[in-house]
Amino acid sequence: MYDYDVLVVGSANADLVVGVERRPAAGETVLGSDLVVHPGGKGANQSVAAARLGARTALLARVGDDTHGRLLLDSQRRSGVDTTGVLVGGAPTGVALITVDPSGDNSIVVSPGANGRLTPQDVRAARSLLHGSRVVSAQLEIPMESVVEVVRNLPDGTRFVLNPSPPRPLPAELLAACDPLVVNEHEARVIVGGELDDSPEEWAARLLALGPRSVVVTLGAQGALVATGDATVRVPSVRVAAVDTTGAGDAFTAALAWRLGAGASLADAAAYAVRVGAAAVTRVGAQESYPTEEELASLAGS
């Protein structure tokens, strides 16, 4: 009997967001909107997204003993996330500096803060959380050695989902545990270590050759592609008017992990995740934009 449908191991940041008419070039200053502070971080985003969809969710992360840390803990608890695994102290809470242009596209700079102090020892101390979860989802806004420690402590039967963001080359031990590895085009290019052609099917094939059990490539407005050793399938998009893409990839990955843990096939889980990601871009912010199951049902194409 599992205590959690999804355990997210990852970052928790305060998102400091400014709207701009256009993003500045090197050496250029542009004026922006009033500053807005949102709870964010890829790990915290994923746990909120999964919980809002109805998954029994826990978060393993580290925040500072400060105002931003309290903001993040409050957001998790309001969404129904179990915060037993959220450690406090060691450094200030991580911060993401985000600019959003009128099309909804964003640029992000992250100061890791306490996220960089989530250690392999912290992961080992959370063994009961790992062993009580159907699916464990991770990203790379925490130390790589801590993510590797997660896979070393996974029990048999627990599925591991990795979104390697921000991207970097991945050790073979980590790649071999991914089921799936979830990437966009930029992340795929970094992980394969070279240029890619125009075919997402080829990107997926090159990624699979590195060792993951399965791969999901997110394609923005074109939906997604899922690939295993047996088949490659395109998942169509849902047409929406994008307002803010911040955190949409996190919503996608959380929804994917939740449905995989519930027994869905990879293709069916990705189709569900595409709808969740599409719903998330129709509202401003990351965690505040994530739909409940009831809100998702009203989205065209559901």
Side-chain angles (χ1 to χ4, degrees), residues 62-65 87-92 114 117:
R62 184 177 286 276
V63 299
D65 185 10
L87 306 171
V88 178
R117 275 71 166 187

Side-chain angles (χ1 to χ4, degrees), residues 236-248:
S237 63
V238 176
R239 190 170 299 177
V240 296
V243 173
D244 180 4
T245 61
T246 305

